[in-house]
Every structure is written in C-alpha cells, then in structure tokens.
Amino acid sequence: MDYKVIIDEIHKNLRETDNPGKVAEYIPELAKVDPDKFGVHISEVNGGAYGTGNYRDKFSIQSIVKVLSLALTYKLRGESIWSRLGYEPSGTAFNSLVQLESDRGIPKNPLINAGALVICDILISILDDPEQDFLDFVREVSDNESIEYSMNIAASERVAGYLNIALCNFIKSFGNIENDTDQVLDFYFKSCSIELSCEELSKTFLFFANGGQKPGTGGQVLTVSQVKRINAIMQTCGFYDESGDFAFRVGLPGKSGIGGGIVDVHPGKYSIAVWSPRLNKKGNSYLAMEFLEQFTTKTQMSIF
Ligand code: GLU
C-alpha cells in the first residue's frame, strides 16, 4: 500500500477547506500555538515511515500521555490496577466530576482525567523518582533521549488547574489517592506537558501496533494481552465523549489530546499521528479527525 500518495492527497485537500475548530484556551500557554499547523506522520511495523506538513514540529501531547502512563503502570502492577479504576467508557467530558460521586471515587477509565490522576498516584507509590522514571520510560519506548517535560506548559496548567485540583481532592476524599494531592497534581501536569512531533509520536506508539514489542529491537514493552487491552481501552475511551463517533468514522484505536494531536494504531500494520490545534466542540482536533476518517476510507483498512 502506497500510504505516501494517499497521505499527501488528503493533507493537501484538507489544508484548503474551512476549519471551524478552536484552539484550547483554558491552558494559557496552549493558546499561543499557531492554529494553522497541520502535520501527519505514519510509522509502519515493517520499518516504512512517511510524514508531511508540520510533522517535525513538537507540540504538547496532553492527554495522549495517559496511554503511556497507563502502559508503565500496567507493566509494573499488572491486573491489580483494576481495583483502583475501571475500563468502561464514561460518556461524560474528560474532566467531569459527576460520576465520581456515585462511583465512590473509582474513575470509569484511565483515559479521563480522574483515572489518569489515580494512575499518577499509583506510579508515585511504586517509583523511586516518579517524574524521572516516567520520562525515562517514554524515552526508552520512543528511542529518543531528547524528550522533555515542558516546564512552561506544566506551570501554565497548574495556575489554571482548578478542576483537576478539585478532581484529585474529591478522589482523595474517597480514599483512592494514597499520596499528597499536590505531588499527584504536579506529576500529572508535568506528564501532560511532554512535547513530541508527529514523527516522534507515531514512532513511540508503534509497540501498540506490534503486540507490545518495539519493532526491530526485540524489546518487549508489554505482553500481547496487555496491549490488546490497552488498544481496547483506546478504542472505547480514547476520544472523550466522542469515542463512539470516532470508532464509527475512523475505525481505529487511538488517543487524542487538547493540544490538537491524535495518534491511532492499526494492529499489525502502523501507527499514525496527526496534529492540527483547532479542536471541535468535544475537544478532538477537527482536522485530524477528518484526516483519519478519509485515510481509513481511502486505504479501505480499519480494524473492523
Ligand atoms: N492536561 C489536560 C487537562 O487535564 C489534558 C486534557 C486533554 O488533553 O484531554 O485538562
């Protein structure tokens, strides 16, 4: 399959269409991003790779990191993590407080903010130096020592982080946060601030397309079964309360972030990252979703 021709054609056509989306502004630092950036990069399990547009520009991956923090926690703690959080779609906004009360502080899944906060708490309890150890894990799976947290973005989110602060305290009141809430929040904000380009992001997620193994290196990051489960969670919970629509239109597991990035995985074939900062009303990148819908339609390949 010649992905290059298809990617170039869709990218060119979409560049010229009207984009009704809006850049996320609740994190002041993110509002400064050029809204018209548009990059795409595919990394294939067999070693092929191709990118177009702003695919080498770094952007804030935000919630996409939740998949990586889940991966490390699952690797270290196995099935025991499911006593602290669930794996059902929430059907509510990513930062909703509502369900937590009836669910007695057990978040619906690891890809909403509440679940990601519990995952950060578990990592703090088991790692010697959580911020450094997590960064080392991301660097290792991506084969990229240059990956860093963005202190500016983390600080900017901290200042405006009222809802996340409320979520963390609310969960703690039910006894499902073990550590100091400030420590959990700092780690959460820092993890969300990691910056990657589409090229780096698609490469980082390739092990989810390859049964848990980093292609070419033989390094097994997760078991086949763990990757199956994380891919299932991405499929059902990866796109806020638009995950059903995303599955319907695109048909691939993945994760989006309010920085405008989306990464998708086609098991056995590839990982693809698309970035365009203008978001639709549900918080997913308008253009990235359009791109991916056209991509799976034109290639006639999805998981369904
Ligand atoms: N750091 C962001 C927040 O907690 C992540 C949101 C997202 O990308 O969905 O609000």
Side-chain angles (χ1 to χ4, degrees):
M1 170 80 60
D2 190 357
Y3 295 127
K4 179 178 182 313
V5 173
I6 296 175
I7 288 173
D8 282 345
E9 186 194 331
I10 305 171
H11 186 268
K12 180 172 176 296
N13 289 344
L14 283 176
R15 269 221 95 92
E16 289 157 10
T17 60
D18 274 349
N19 185 338
K22 298 229 167 3
V23 174
E25 285 176 345
Y26 77 100
I27 301 176
E29 202 61 26
L30 287 186
K32 296 181 183 165
V33 164
D34 175 353
D36 296 320
K37 295 277 182 179
F38 184 20
V40 181
H41 191 274
I42 190 165
S43 299
E44 293 179 75
V45 164
N46 66 12
Y50 180 68
T52 194
N54 307 109
Y55 72 97
R56 287 206 157 127
D57 290 23
K58 282 187 188 278
F59 61 92
S60 182
I61 68 168
Q62 291 295 319
S63 269
I64 294 171
V65 83
K66 291 172 176 151
V67 184
L68 299 173
S69 37
L70 168 64
L72 178 59
T73 313
Y74 205 10
K75 179 181 175 67
L76 297 175
R77 274 292 173 264
E79 301 309 315
S80 71
I81 65 172
W82 305 122
S83 64
R84 303 274 307 271
L85 72 171
Y87 40 78
E88 284 293 341
S90 70
T92 55
F94 65 99
N95 49 11
S96 171
L97 271 162
V98 177
Q99 286 170 336
L100 274 177
E101 184 167 25
S102 51
D103 291 341
R104 311 284 312 151
I106 303 288
K108 278 271 184 272
N109 67 67
L111 303 188
I112 53 174
N113 289 14
L117 287 162
V118 169
I119 288 287
C120 285
D121 183 57
I122 300 174
L123 286 177
I124 290 171
S125 295
I126 58 182
L127 296 174
D128 292 337
D129 184 349
E131 288 176 12
Q132 188 57 49
D133 295 349
F134 178 62
L135 192 58
D136 288 347
F137 172 73
V138 178
R139 287 174 172 173
E140 187 197 319
V141 293
S142 57
D143 272 331
N144 186 341
E145 285 300 310
S146 74
I147 293 173
E148 293 287 356
Y149 298 122
S150 159
M151 296 309 169
N152 283 347
I153 293 175
S156 177
E157 184 168 8
R158 187 78 165 100
V159 170
Y162 306 109
L163 200 43
N164 284 317
I165 294 167
L167 277 168
C168 196
N169 281 284
F170 200 42
I171 303 169
K172 181 137 181 121
S173 76
F174 288 102
N176 197 20
I177 292 282
E178 291 173 353
N179 297 284
D180 177 61
T181 51
D182 279 338
Q183 194 188 359
V184 175
L185 285 158
D186 280 343
F187 183 32
Y188 171 75
F189 292 138
K190 275 218 180 111
S191 67
C192 290
S193 79
I194 285 179
E195 295 179 300
L196 295 175
S197 65
C198 289
E199 185 175 32
E200 292 165 333
L201 183 57
S202 66
K203 195 172 166 203
T204 303
F205 268 63
L206 208 44
F207 73 93
F208 292 108
N210 194 43
Q213 197 178 41
K214 279 173 26 183
T217 66
Q220 194 77 34
V221 183
L222 294 174
T223 67
V224 171
S225 162
Q226 286 171 328
V227 157
K228 177 188 81 175
R229 289 178 169 184
I230 293 182
N231 286 347
I233 293 170
M234 282 199 268
Q235 182 73 67
T236 52
C237 313
F239 301 92
Y240 311 118
D241 46 336
E242 201 171 32
S243 298
D245 196 38
F246 195 90
F248 186 81
R249 287 175 52 189
V250 178
L252 292 176
K255 182 74 194 92
S256 63
I258 41 109
I262 294 185
V263 62
D264 266 354
V265 164
H266 195 313
K269 294 194 165 53
Y270 62 75
S271 159
I272 186 166
V274 187
W275 173 52
S276 158
R278 293 183 201 263
L279 311 179
N280 68 18
K281 291 203 166 71
K282 298 281 188 181
N284 290 306
S285 167
Y286 174 82
L287 221 50
M289 219 164 141
E290 291 288 321
F291 180 94
L292 289 161
E293 179 176 15
Q294 291 191 26
F295 185 69
T296 51
T297 305
K298 290 202 159 115
T299 55
Q300 299 191 355
M301 290 190 322
S302 82
I303 65 161
F304 297 110

